[in-house]
Amino acid sequence: MTATAPREEQLWSRCAGCATLLYRKRLRRNLDVCPECGVHVRLGAPDRLRQLTDPGSFRPLPDRPADVDPIGFVDVVPYPHRITAARAGTGLAEAVLCGTAALGGHPAVLAVMDFRFLGGSLGCAVGELITRAAERALDDRAPLILVTASGGARMQEGVLSLMQMATVSQAVAALREAGLLTISVLTDPTYGGVAASFATNTDVVIAESGARMGFAGPRVIRQVTGRALPEGFQTADFLLRHGQVDMVVPRRALRGRLVALLAATRAGRAPATVTQRIPVPAARPAVPRQPDRGAPGPTAADPWATVRLARHPGRPTSLDYLDAAFDGFVELHGDRLGGDCPAVVGGLARLAGRPVMVIGHQKGHTTAELVARNFGMASPAGHRKALRLMRLAARLGLPVVTLVDTPGADPGVGAEEQGQAAAIAENILALTVLPTPVVAVITGEGGSGGALALAVADRVLMLQHAVYSVISPEGCAAILWPDRSAAPEAARALRLTAPDLHRLGVVDEIVPEPAGGAHDDPDATARTLGDAVRDALLPLHDVPTATLVRRRRQRFRRFGAAGTGARTGAR
Ligand SMILES: [Zn+2]
């Protein structure tokens, strides 16, 4: 074989579905769908854009992704090396391609994710690029089409990757307010933080044939439940059957369906309110730690030790705080759609004489309590109950206080059937625009999207020995290290402690704990927490609603541009 002869594997490829040997050009002509069995081969972003847009109409947005390594993450390989390899392997700068284009003559802004680039993971640069695409749609008064393909948040960027769920969601919220159509096209696979934000909080959700979408991945669910998964679990048809997508569309009909949607919504009247885009705030200067209530003691403790403290069964729960730090708690139950989740508690209470709505994850101290509360892992009903209470608070003009203590959202089969991803996504979006003050306190474990579903707030407080992370150290170790026993190393790499997150600007204030930890003196901890929440709420009471919401959105917009502002603090 000479150097110029085409190699055998470039001419032919074997179908993963039916094992037929296919002539590559024939497969291409068929939009990379197997002509024999109909399997949809995964597409890179450039191919996807070629298939969807009018020829020659695509104009990439000028934004270049920043080089981001906000927490200096190293597993067995430094994170920047993984980025370099992904760029070399794909020819792309990041895991998303954004631009303007026409579809059947209709203008639109598109953001298309590419799974080949680090599993399409959502990091700060990806969040920023998609946010800018949404802002371009707002400026152009054009619809936004998001094509998703992602394993979830990019854990090498720690909790800042989690913040991207809020950053992009608030950009989607701005398009909602402006009366501009948003469409997401779920392609295989779409999971985790992407599924639980902009993949599902758009106006129209389309699943491409063969796509799978869910909050928790099948491997995690099998591990947690110890059971085999039902046939067809999380597939496009499953999603349609469970009311989670508007339609399932085969690849050859996708462009036509998008054109029809754009045509059908084009004549819509602009709404009365004109939404303004949120300006990108300047990189955040390091904020000095609040000196009052005594600075937390030396925190040279190993992060893994902090993880264990955060999970201590003697730690006060949300109901303990409601009892000791608040007055007159009246618990409200139910999501009004068919369930009441025991892992989330909420209701009306008073703090320092002022009425507030308190919503928190509920764990327990004994095994029986923990089991009854599903270990503080909220179901979709729990997230929808929280959403109902947030909206009720807004109607009554009450501030919202959230108490976050969860290993993560419920990763069960039932939770997926009931739309866990969309339930989380809707809470995150609702909180970015809620017209009332919101103060969140990470009291124990702030686990991933389940934590963020209650933690998009004007002020985010964190107990000294709490942790807040995009993934559990065990989960991170299982993926990036040879095995789960590397969890202590992963805990160090993830920067999940209160001082780390305070430096990164994710947390505004650290609430000190008694010497041995919150479980040593729950009452003292509750008093300190109550005082801290009262003080955080005080300056928010008189802020006009529009200003309040704008500042909250800026707070989370900042994390899109993050890298730069956060980088110096992490070293
Ligand atoms: Zn086939």
Side-chain angles (χ1 to χ4, degrees):
M1 189 189 282
T2 69
T4 52
R7 301 212 316 276
E8 193 78 344
E9 57 266 40
Q10 289 174 320
L11 283 174
W12 296 89
S13 63
R14 192 173 293 282
C15 173
C18 64
T20 305
L21 203 56
L22 296 163
Y23 190 44
R24 195 82 196 107
K25 277 187 179 165
R26 182 175 172 227
L27 188 61
R28 269 280 133 120
R29 274 198 305 275
N30 206 39
L31 306 179
D32 280 278
V33 176
C34 172
E36 302 299 323
C37 73
V39 153
H40 286 50
V41 179
R42 285 177 188 169
L43 288 181
D47 286 336
R48 177 70 69 178
L49 281 161
R50 264 192 293 279
Q51 290 189 9
L52 293 182
T53 60
D54 297 353
S57 72
F58 180 72
R59 300 276 177 277
L61 294 187
D63 312 295
R64 298 269 70 85
D67 279 314
V68 176
D69 181 16
I71 61 171
F73 191 94
V74 178
D75 48 275
V76 289
V77 182
Y79 172 43
H81 294 198
R82 290 190 190 270
I83 291 269
T84 305
R87 286 182 175 160
T90 59
L92 298 174
E94 255 299 344
V96 68
L97 258 182
C98 304
T100 60
L103 283 78
H106 302 287
V109 179
L110 291 99
V112 178
M113 302 187 81
D114 196 311
F115 192 76
R116 297 171 303 161
F117 196 106
L118 295 178
S121 52
L122 173 62
C124 294
V126 172
E128 177 69 16
L129 292 170
I130 299 177
T131 299
R132 289 194 187 175
E135 289 171 350
R136 177 61 181 264
L138 193 61
D139 289 345
D140 291 1
R141 295 206 55 80
L144 176 69
I145 300 172
L146 302 167
V147 182
T148 61
S150 176
R154 190 172 294 174
M155 64 191 114
Q156 292 92 340
E157 295 184 18
V159 83
L160 289 171
S161 66
L162 193 65
M163 296 301 119
Q164 304 313 311
M165 295 167 68
T167 305
V168 180
S169 290
Q170 56 142 314
V172 171
L175 295 173
R176 265 195 201 183
E177 288 167 1
L180 295 167
L181 180 70
T182 55
I183 302 174
S184 58
V185 178
L186 311 177
T187 75
D188 194 57
T190 296
Y191 279 97
V194 170
S197 60
F198 53 88
T200 55
N201 61 21
T202 48
D203 298 320
V204 177
V205 183
I206 299 173
E208 184 180 50
S209 295
R212 290 164 305 145
M213 186 278 283
F215 176 63
R219 200 180 54 137
V220 169
I221 300 174
R222 265 195 303 270
Q223 258 169 22
V224 172
T225 61
R227 272 186 246 155
L229 299 174
E231 180 76 18
F233 186 64
Q234 295 180 324
T235 59
D237 293 319
F238 166 98
L239 297 171
L240 185 68
R241 201 162 59 243
H242 289 285
Q244 297 180 37
V245 299
D246 290 282
M247 58 191 96
V248 178
V249 181
R251 188 170 291 165
R252 70 185 141 66
L254 200 50
R255 173 182 147 83
R257 198 59 69 90
L258 288 170
V259 169
L261 278 166
L262 297 181
T265 51
R266 196 172 193 182
R269 211 157 51 91
T273 55
V274 174
T275 305
Q276 291 181 336
R277 57 188 280 178
I278 300 294
V280 185
R284 181 178 189 275
V287 178
R289 198 172 288 162
Q290 303 259 330
D292 53 337
R293 280 184 289 277
T299 42
D302 182 56
W304 181 242
T306 309
V307 170
R308 301 179 63 149
L309 272 178
R311 295 172 178 170
H312 195 288
R315 243 180 132 70
T317 66
S318 289
L319 287 176
D320 295 332
Y321 288 120
L322 277 158
D323 187 46
F326 296 80
D327 300 308
F329 175 55
V330 180
E331 186 169 1
L332 302 174
H333 288 276
D335 68 353
R336 298 295 188 273
L337 295 165
D340 183 44
C341 172
V344 173
V345 295
L348 302 160
R350 284 192 315 282
L351 178 67
R354 280 188 187 251
V356 291
M357 181 71 80
V358 185
I359 306 166
H361 298 105
Q362 180 61 26
K363 286 186 175 175
H365 301 297
T366 65
T367 304
E369 283 171 358
L370 283 163
V371 169
R373 297 286 181 177
N374 197 24
F375 301 86
M377 299 189 295
S379 65
H383 291 121
R384 287 168 183 143
K385 171 164 69 176
L387 181 65
R388 183 175 79 80
L389 298 184
M390 290 168 200
R391 288 182 171 154
L392 176 59
R395 279 204 299 283
L396 299 175
L398 303 179
V400 172
V401 176
T402 63
L403 304 173
V404 177
D405 185 15
T406 179
D410 181 0
V413 171
E416 295 294 322
E417 288 173 348
Q418 292 148 28
Q420 184 69 288
I424 294 170
E426 195 58 34
N427 280 23
I428 291 169
L429 187 145
L431 278 171
T432 66
V433 294
L434 200 74
T436 193
V438 185
V439 170
V441 191
I442 317 292
T443 61
E445 283 183 281
S448 178
L452 189 68
L454 290 187
V456 179
D458 301 304
R459 299 280 295 170
V460 179
L461 279 46
M462 185 162 172
L463 286 193
Q464 185 184 349
H465 299 305
V467 294
Y468 189 12
S469 180
V470 62
I471 186 168
S472 72
E474 292 88 343
C476 181
I479 297 170
L480 293 182
W481 272 267
D483 64 272
R484 295 171 84 84
S485 66
E489 277 175 85
R492 287 189 280 278
L494 282 166
R495 314 268 176 185
L496 41 64
T497 67
D500 278 332
L501 296 172
H502 187 256
R503 270 194 296 277
L504 290 168
V506 171
V507 163
D508 300 297
E509 188 184 336
I510 301 172
V511 181
E513 296 186 26
H519 59 277
D520 248 17
D521 192 344
D523 283 340
T525 308
R527 277 194 303 276
T528 315
L529 177 140
D531 291 349
V533 173
R534 178 201 61 203
D535 292 355
L537 272 176
L538 206 59
L540 301 175
H541 284 299
D542 301 321
V543 179
T545 304
T547 310
L548 185 76
V549 173
R550 190 181 69 243
R551 284 185 192 158
R552 189 184 312 142
R553 288 164 77 158
Q554 272 175 340
R555 188 185 187 282
F556 285 87
R557 178 70 182 84
R558 196 178 64 220
F559 297 121
T564 46
R567 189 185 317 220
T568 45
R571 297 300 162 98

